[in-house]
Amino acid sequence: MKLARMTFLTSIVLTLCFLSTVLRAANKKICVLADIHVMAPTLLDNENNKEWQEYLKTSKSMVDLSVPIFDAIINRIILEKPDILLIVGDLTKDSEVESHDFVLNKLTKFKQAKIPVYVIPGNHDRGWMQRALKYQNDTCTVAETIDNDGFEKLYVDYGYGADTERYGSTLNYMVEPFPGLTVICIDSGIWCTFREGSIDWVCEKAKAAQAKGNQVLVMMHHMLMPHYYYQNNIFELSIPTDYPDIREKFMQAGIKVVLSGHSHTSDITRYIDASGRELYDICTGSPISYPCDYRVLTFDDTFSKLSLDRKSVV
């Protein structure tokens, strides 16, 4: 068994199995965003707010620039003209209702450009967060946040509508955005855990998709498997505690690619088991963490190869 990392490569090509002879359009392009952490401008009365400045002293990210960076990356992705955009969680700073409303307003630009968008929630997208605050008059007050039901209702046009297949009442869903590809979206919760039965459902859907000749991409907010030694000791709850079991189930189901985020770093881990099967965990960095990454994935015309490019807005 072998675990390999590909941290510094900006462009690689993954060779996937050829699944069928079904005719498909060539060179399908997918853009991937993670951890945009947008903070609505209405949550801050002025940039010199004392409480806000104290917060910035402790922040490791450019959350104060989240809006102009998001604007820049929207423009860049529209110029890329992808067939779909996938956002793997942490759309907002800390689950504030005002931030979600702001993000949703911005996502309409992709609708206007006829670019379908599919999202999953991250740990900063629902529930109470300690730093979900509104800064006014040199102080701060608790901001209103949303829960799972609120997320589902807000993002009905971005994965939680009638065009996708849901797993019960969870925030897991499956979609076939175009012929030849199935995207299975997993809610890894706030603490990197899964609702009962979710993993088995993912594997069942992956097998069914491959049986009809589709390639499969799985996306989740947290990383599926370690990208460095002792990761869960250093970066607590960044991967599932039972990841070896989940990894094995995914490989048995023929899943080869998982798209993740959470770490704010673009990195790729490849796991090879004793029989030679491969599984890639492709983590995308955050636009509010230098160098402000996003990814562009391109399938070739046979859907047997997937090219990955890491791009930056700076």
Side-chain angles (χ1 to χ4, degrees):
M1 293 177 286
K2 184 178 179 182
L3 186 68
R5 297 175 63 244
M6 290 168 277
T7 308
F8 301 107
L9 294 180
T10 59
S11 179
I12 66 170
V13 177
L14 309 184
T15 300
L16 307 175
C17 61
F18 181 70
L19 296 176
S20 79
T21 56
V22 177
L23 182 62
R24 305 181 177 96
N27 297 326
K28 286 293 188 180
K29 182 188 289 188
I30 302 163
C31 282
V32 181
L33 273 177
D35 300 273
I36 55 179
H37 286 289
V38 175
M39 175 180 169
T42 53
L43 291 171
L44 176 65
D45 58 358
N46 73 84
E47 61 182 17
N48 294 317
N49 181 293
K50 291 181 180 179
E51 288 289 338
W52 173 244
Q53 288 300 318
E54 288 300 313
Y55 165 75
L56 290 180
K57 291 177 183 178
T58 66
S59 176
K60 298 178 182 179
S61 304
M62 296 180 287
V63 67
D64 52 326
L65 299 177
S66 65
V67 170
I69 290 175
F70 192 37
D71 285 336
I73 212 162
I74 287 171
N75 293 334
R76 184 71 65 86
I77 288 175
I78 288 174
L79 288 175
E80 294 275 2
K81 297 181 179 178
D83 293 279
I84 58 171
L85 167 63
L86 304 177
I87 307 180
V88 296
D90 279 0
L91 290 85
T92 61
K93 173 181 170 288
D94 284 299
S95 185
E96 308 92 352
V97 170
E98 291 176 54
S99 294
H100 278 293
D101 289 342
F102 186 83
V103 168
L104 284 163
N105 182 60
K106 292 289 184 179
L107 291 181
T108 60
K109 293 188 176 182
F110 294 112
K111 276 190 177 182
Q112 294 164 2
K114 301 188 185 305
I115 300 171
V117 179
Y118 297 98
V119 310
I120 50 172
N123 55 304
H124 283 261
D125 285 329
R126 62 280 171 79
W128 178 83
M129 300 292 293
Q130 186 175 7
R131 288 186 165 177
L133 302 170
K134 188 164 187 171
Y135 297 87
Q136 292 180 317
N137 302 318
D138 282 333
T139 187
C140 57
T141 56
V142 176
E144 182 183 2
T145 58
I146 66 169
D147 57 14
N148 282 348
D149 291 339
F151 189 91
E152 175 185 352
K153 291 174 183 176
L154 286 176
Y155 292 93
V156 66
D157 293 332
Y158 303 99
Y160 295 95
D163 62 330
T164 65
E165 181 181 340
R166 301 280 297 281
Y167 173 55
S169 61
T170 71
L171 295 180
N172 304 305
Y173 66 91
M174 180 191 72
V175 64
E176 185 176 333
F178 45 76
L181 178 68
T182 294
V183 181
I184 305 175
C185 307
I186 315 175
D187 174 20
S188 55
I190 294 176
W191 305 113
C192 196
T193 56
F194 304 94
R195 291 282 293 275
E196 184 177 355
S198 292
I199 299 302
D200 290 338
W201 176 82
V202 170
C203 295
E204 174 190 331
K205 295 304 174 182
K207 291 177 182 177
Q210 292 170 84
K212 65 182 287 188
N214 279 14
Q215 288 286 6
V216 174
L217 295 178
V218 170
M219 73 172 188
M220 54 188 276
H221 178 63
H222 296 86
M223 292 165 280
L224 173 66
M225 53 189 179
H227 286 240
Y228 49 88
Y229 292 115
Y230 308 111
Q231 178 174 332
N232 236 3
N233 294 330
I234 300 169
F235 190 8
E236 189 177 4
L237 300 177
S238 60
I239 56 174
T241 55
D242 57 345
Y243 78 86
D245 293 335
I246 298 173
R247 181 178 62 194
E248 178 61 24
K249 287 183 177 181
F250 278 12
M251 296 180 81
Q252 288 181 359
I255 295 168
K256 289 195 170 185
V257 177
V258 175
L259 305 175
S260 63
H262 189 59
S263 72
H264 289 216
T265 302
S266 287
D267 187 66
I268 301 172
T269 287
R270 179 182 63 179
Y271 178 79
I272 308 175
D273 71 4
S275 65
R277 296 179 303 181
E278 296 181 326
L279 179 62
Y280 293 85
D281 187 335
I282 301 169
C283 185
T284 298
S286 168
I288 64 166
S289 297
Y290 184 83
C292 310
D293 293 353
Y294 67 99
R295 287 194 186 274
V296 178
L297 283 56
T298 307
F299 278 103
D300 70 349
D301 56 359
T302 66
F303 269 64
S304 61
K305 291 185 179 179
L306 179 62
S307 300
L308 282 71
D309 288 306
R310 188 187 72 184
K311 298 194 175 184
S312 171
V313 294
V314 297

